[in-house]
Amino acid sequence: MAPDDNRLGSFLRGRREKIDAASAGVVATTRRRITGLRREELALLAGLSPSYYTRIEQGRDRHPSREILEALARALRLDDTERTYLWSLAMPALAPADPHAIPAPTVRPGVLHLLERWADLPAFVVGPNRDVLAGTALAARVNPAWSPGCNLIEFTFLDPRAREVYPDWDDISLQAVAGLRATAATHHAELTAFVASMRERSDTFRALWDSHDVYDRVVGEKRLRVDGIGVLRLSFETFALAGPEDHVLYVYYPQPGSTDDEALRGLV
């Protein structure tokens, strides 16, 4: 088996070889000729049978459960980044059977603090599948889809308010699917279940997805119809937030001195 065919096993082996046996509580009864932990020692620390752990590391068992992955993460003393990477390697096996296996994403406190300071701008953070994870109060006021707990794709295709909010709904829907497909290039396993669900629930989404258009607008302009205001024309910028979560920050803003700028100020 080529190394790329067993990335999970290679990662586990690499991490156990870096663990100091003595600091992990392993008592050496003979002179050690290896660095790190032996397979059977890691298995013992994780509460697994040595034979079962060996199957995982050798790639002969590609379906470890959530509990087993958590036990291995604790035994290997993985930090948050390493733990997230471990989940990403195991995800192809876990996603179909347990879509809730990955811990719920959280936004860093510093980012939340910035959003609190940007009270005069519609700004929000999304995950790879376009779940809105956090945002300013103004964002939710301008567009209900920009509220934490909403999903941009589901709103666009499944919520009857979308065609009212987006005067250019045809363009918005095309861009949404093309951008999601671009994200799927690097988050295929993570998005497989979500895309399958959307294909079942929306004929339009299915047709656009099957067209295989791929692009992602990182800057641009969007028209939105806001209750009590009318149609606002807002520009936007996107910022990829560093970290294993692959969160993206969207910030919308009007052109200075425009009627859109004045209308947006009236919503604050």
Side-chain angles (χ1 to χ4, degrees), residues 80-82 84-85 88 108 128 187 190 241-247:
D80 289 343
T81 300
E82 293 166 333
T84 299
Y85 184 67
S88 74
R108 294 197 301 271
H187 293 80
E190 186 174 351
L241 301 180
E245 304 88 356
D246 287 331
H247 291 169

Side-chain angles (χ1 to χ4, degrees), residues 25-219:
V26 176
V27 178
T29 57
T30 60
R31 183 180 180 86
R32 296 183 69 89
R33 297 181 180 179
I34 64 169
T35 59
L37 295 172
R38 298 184 177 93
R39 285 176 179 165
E40 59 270 21
E41 292 169 341
L42 175 56
L44 179 64
L45 291 172
L48 307 176
S49 72
S51 61
Y52 178 61
Y53 172 74
T54 298
R55 291 202 303 273
I56 295 175
E57 188 174 295
Q58 292 180 344
R60 292 185 287 122
D61 190 323
R62 300 193 176 215
H63 300 275
S65 69
R66 174 180 182 175
E67 291 75 19
I68 288 172
L69 288 173
E70 287 289 355
L72 288 171
R74 288 193 298 270
L76 290 169
R77 303 176 181 178
L78 302 185
D79 60 24
D80 289 343
T81 300
E82 293 166 333
R83 185 183 295 265
T84 299
Y85 184 67
L86 175 66
W87 280 106
S88 74
L89 296 179
M91 200 179 305
L94 283 174
D98 188 358
H100 303 294
I102 302 170
T106 57
V107 178
R108 294 197 301 271
V111 177
L112 295 176
H113 179 66
L114 288 175
L115 290 174
E116 291 177 357
R117 298 291 298 271
W118 294 343
D120 59 342
L121 289 175
F124 55 93
V125 176
V126 302
N129 72 340
R130 307 308 193 262
D131 281 335
V132 178
L133 307 174
T136 63
L138 185 57
R141 174 68 178 85
V142 170
N143 184 352
W146 296 347
S147 304
C150 290
N151 180 280
L152 300 181
I153 301 295
E154 290 179 338
F155 179 84
T156 300
F157 291 95
L158 304 178
D159 195 313
R161 295 174 295 175
R163 291 179 183 270
E164 181 68 20
V165 171
Y166 301 132
D168 306 308
W169 185 89
D170 288 340
D171 291 338
I172 295 294
S173 60
L174 177 63
Q175 294 162 13
V177 176
L180 186 68
R181 183 173 277 283
T183 301
T186 53
H187 293 80
H188 176 73
E190 186 174 351
L191 292 176
T192 296
F194 177 72
V195 170
S197 173
M198 286 301 305
R199 282 172 54 85
E200 291 181 359
R201 292 188 287 170
S202 170
D203 293 340
T204 305
F205 177 91
R206 181 170 61 251
L208 290 175
W209 184 262
D210 291 346
S211 70
H212 292 273
D213 289 331
V214 183
Y215 59 88
D216 205 4
R217 293 184 66 190
V218 297
V219 299

